[in-house]
Amino acid sequence: MDEFNLHLTGDIHAITAANNLLAAAIDTRIFHESTQSDKALFNRLCPPNKEGKRSFSDVMFRRLKKLGISKINPDDLTPDEVNKFARLDIDPNSITWRRVMDINDRFLRKITIGQGPDEKGMVRETGFDISVASEIMAVLALTTSLADMRERLGKMVIGNSRSGDPVTADDLGVGGALTVLMKDAIHPTLMQTLEGTPVLVHAGPFANIAHGNSSIVADKIALKLVGPGGFVVTEAGFGADIGAEKFMNIKCRYSGLTPQCAIIVATIRALKMHGGGPAVVAGKPLDHAYLTENVALVEAGCVNMARHISNTKSYGVNVVVAINKFSTDTEAELNAVQSAALAAGAYDAVICTHHAHGGKGAVDLGIAVQKACKNVTQPLKFLYPVELSIKEKIEAIAKSYGARGVEYSEQAEKQIEMYSKQGFSGLPICMAKTQYSFSDNAAAKGAPSGFVLPIRDVRASIGAGFIYPLVGTMSTMPGLPTRPCFYDIGLDTTTEKVIGLS
């Protein structure tokens, strides 16, 4: 477990390196353009070889094509063409690409860079995101091949020129280098469960700040390996409002794959919380309400499960509810959840004990899923057509949350207008939203409705292939709590066994 969660797959390290290479390329390009003439800049971008001949590198032809320049000899460019080719003229205020690291560090959410004397006063505000929020993680998860990944990485938009044109990784000349850094990360890691079931571990974009699904590549490899009569279980992080919605509307669109069944995992404790139970605080003992029978509290919380079921069923897939049983759950509470799930339209609801008994404790779940997959009666239905405007798609998703409307900040309005003008309005939407509630308010449990969903900002992951609005105060860089888990982590220096990770 410790190897698995630390450095085993290497995906996050590769993503971090690639992301930060692009960030360095952005600021370096702005710096050099500000200190050099067109001629000097062009001479350094296309230096002559020992024979005195110039040539374009392969990646430069992508920018030339974008500019409509068909010449292949650098010496044939006119002064105007040299200017267009060599000067990206990036507007520092438009840059959306941020640095990343795989540590929760709240003090890096907003930083100032360029304060060293050698940077000649080129200071700007930026910040760090958590590595899994990088667009490169989303690209890895949504790519279908090495060639497709190369194209997606090159198309990533980092900001705009001062004239309002989008600037890409390939404009900066870094798309090929990013692909080299990611060439091994595209391969899934083959592992196994404790009982020997094969598991492909690949990619990890968080569902609350990205699209929250493992990779298309891993799914397709798994489907090939199991064959026509086999089953592949793939995870969509969190609930129907985040992971499942993005699985259907983003991942299925790009993969062309169609799920036959969706499993919604429920626990008595979670439903009690949604029914009005006391707040649960990490590191503190559970309140008595979660450890003793309270059927009324469970039933009150089932409205949350019912909405997850109805939202998931709307895509045309059968829903099976897996009720993970804890030792403190009572038969009456479990029966209440089963009844509520079936009443809400679930194909089946099964009590599971696999955490205690391994695979034997999930046999009934497996049988229910097998039956659900064989009884699909509808094709996959998307929540919205991508041809709708950005706002119409955001509002369709907000309606599925239970919202009566959407409120856009001035910044969000500005970004939506810009992305629409740049031709990106036909992309699906990836909402960055709290996973603790259907609304933007993490404390609003159950199935809230009639609220107005606030959109604070809107960003674009063009390479990955989606527009992502930031809902409310959702942050893309988490912070550490008062007592982080590192207090309990250590190493036995005799056995080299990791302590505190289990």
Side-chain angles (χ1 to χ4, degrees):
M1 182 273 181
D2 49 322
E3 291 180 359
F4 172 74
N5 278 289
L6 291 174
H7 308 287
L8 181 67
T9 70
D11 294 352
I12 293 178
H13 296 310
I15 288 160
T16 302
N19 184 101
N20 293 342
L21 171 62
L22 180 51
I26 295 165
D27 291 301
T28 298
R29 186 58 174 264
I30 295 173
F31 172 79
H32 288 304
E33 285 190 22
S34 71
T35 58
Q36 299 177 49
S37 66
D38 287 358
K39 183 178 179 181
L41 190 63
F42 185 68
N43 286 342
R44 286 179 170 86
L45 289 171
C46 300
N49 60 20
K50 292 179 181 179
E51 288 77 37
K53 294 182 178 180
R54 301 175 188 273
S55 63
F56 292 116
S57 61
D58 287 344
V59 72
M60 290 178 175
F61 285 107
R62 294 174 179 252
R63 175 153 180 80
L64 290 167
K65 183 179 179 181
K66 178 178 176 179
L67 295 171
I69 300 172
S70 58
K71 298 171 183 176
I72 60 173
N73 185 345
D75 292 325
D76 292 340
L77 266 63
T78 66
D80 182 58
E81 289 171 335
V82 166
N83 173 272
K84 288 179 179 178
F85 170 78
R87 290 204 177 275
L88 303 183
D89 197 26
I90 299 168
D91 179 359
N93 294 322
S94 75
I95 296 171
T96 54
W97 196 266
R98 292 154 61 93
R99 288 160 173 82
V100 300
M101 67 185 304
D102 196 35
I103 299 291
N104 294 0
D105 191 343
R106 67 177 69 244
F107 288 96
L108 292 178
R109 290 172 180 167
K110 189 174 183 180
I111 62 169
T112 303
I113 60 170
Q115 297 194 77
D118 293 336
E119 280 60 67
K120 301 181 181 179
M122 283 200 54
V123 176
R124 73 177 182 92
E125 282 190 352
T126 181
F128 275 75
D129 293 331
I130 193 78
S131 291
V132 292
S134 170
E135 181 177 352
I136 297 176
M137 174 63 91
V139 166
L140 178 65
L142 289 170
T143 196
T144 55
S145 67
L146 190 59
D148 178 61
M149 184 172 73
R150 169 63 186 92
E151 294 304 311
R152 288 175 179 271
L153 291 171
K155 287 193 289 188
M156 294 188 302
V157 173
I158 60 88
N160 303 320
S161 68
R162 294 182 192 276
S163 58
D165 298 318
V167 178
T168 68
D170 273 344
D171 287 328
L172 285 156
V174 75
L178 299 180
T179 309
V180 171
L181 286 171
M182 294 295 296
K183 71 179 179 65
D184 293 321
I186 197 174
H187 302 297
T189 301
L190 177 63
M191 301 190 73
Q192 62 181 340
T193 67
L194 294 174
E195 297 182 358
T197 305
V199 177
L200 290 170
V201 180
H202 200 214
F206 279 16
N208 52 357
I209 52 180
H211 76 283
N213 286 268
S214 56
S215 78
I216 290 173
V217 168
D219 285 357
K220 289 192 171 183
I221 291 173
L223 286 165
K224 182 178 180 180
L225 291 174
V226 300
F231 290 82
V232 173
V233 179
T234 187
E235 183 187 10
F238 302 126
D241 55 325
I242 304 183
E245 183 270 310
K246 296 169 184 178
F247 178 89
M248 303 296 183
N249 292 305
I250 299 175
K251 187 177 180 181
C252 288
R253 272 193 165 100
Y254 287 122
S255 69
L257 300 175
T258 300
Q260 279 72 51
C261 173
I263 302 169
I264 293 177
V265 179
T267 66
I268 299 298
R269 291 179 181 180
L271 293 172
K272 282 182 175 179
M273 182 190 294
H274 281 291
V280 175
V281 181
K284 291 187 177 181
L286 280 173
D287 188 272
H288 187 67
Y290 297 107
L291 305 174
T292 56
E293 183 177 286
N294 190 330
V295 176
L297 196 59
V298 173
E299 289 175 336
C302 282
V303 295
N304 178 269
M305 178 182 66
R307 183 175 289 173
H308 284 295
I309 292 169
S310 63
N311 279 12
T312 306
K313 281 190 66 182
S314 69
Y315 296 104
V317 299
N318 287 327
V319 173
V320 173
V321 176
I323 308 167
N324 282 359
K325 183 181 179 183
F326 284 67
S327 60
T328 52
D329 299 342
T330 69
E331 186 175 353
E333 291 173 329
L334 294 167
N335 289 340
V337 177
Q338 278 186 305
S339 299
L342 295 173
Y347 182 87
D348 205 347
V350 183
I351 296 167
C352 306
T353 62
H354 47 279
H355 283 280
H357 304 125
K360 185 173 68 173
V363 170
D364 290 342
L365 175 63
I367 293 170
V369 169
Q370 189 174 25
K371 289 179 180 177
C373 289
K374 289 180 179 177
N375 287 281
V376 178
T377 59
Q378 302 178 64
L380 179 65
K381 295 182 289 186
F382 296 122
L383 183 61
Y384 53 80
V386 288
E387 295 78 18
L388 293 180
S389 69
I390 292 174
K391 280 190 174 183
E392 286 172 322
K393 286 178 284 197
I394 291 173
E395 286 153 19
I397 296 171
K399 186 178 178 182
S400 75
Y401 296 160
R404 63 176 170 84
V406 178
E407 184 178 75
Y408 300 92
S409 71
E410 185 179 340
Q411 171 68 7
E413 293 275 12
K414 175 184 168 187
Q415 293 296 97
I416 289 170
E417 182 181 4
M418 180 187 70
Y419 292 136
S420 299
K421 285 182 179 178
Q422 291 176 340
F424 300 137
S425 62
L427 294 173
I429 301 297
C430 180
M431 302 283 257
K433 182 185 80 71
T434 178
Q435 70 272 30
Y436 297 115
S437 172
F438 277 105
S439 73
D440 63 296
N441 178 8
K445 303 303 183 185
S449 61
F451 56 91
V452 174
L453 194 73
I455 304 298
R456 181 179 92 246
D457 197 1
V458 177
R459 299 176 188 170
S461 292
I462 304 305
F466 54 73
I467 302 290
Y468 71 102
L470 276 68
V471 179
T473 58
M474 193 65 213
S475 173
T476 49
M477 170 56 88
L480 292 172
T482 304
R483 190 187 188 282
C485 61
F486 58 62
Y487 279 98
D488 302 312
I489 297 172
L491 186 72
D492 185 321
T493 55
T494 303
T495 64
E496 297 189 9
K497 182 179 179 181
V498 174
I499 301 165
L501 287 179
S502 60

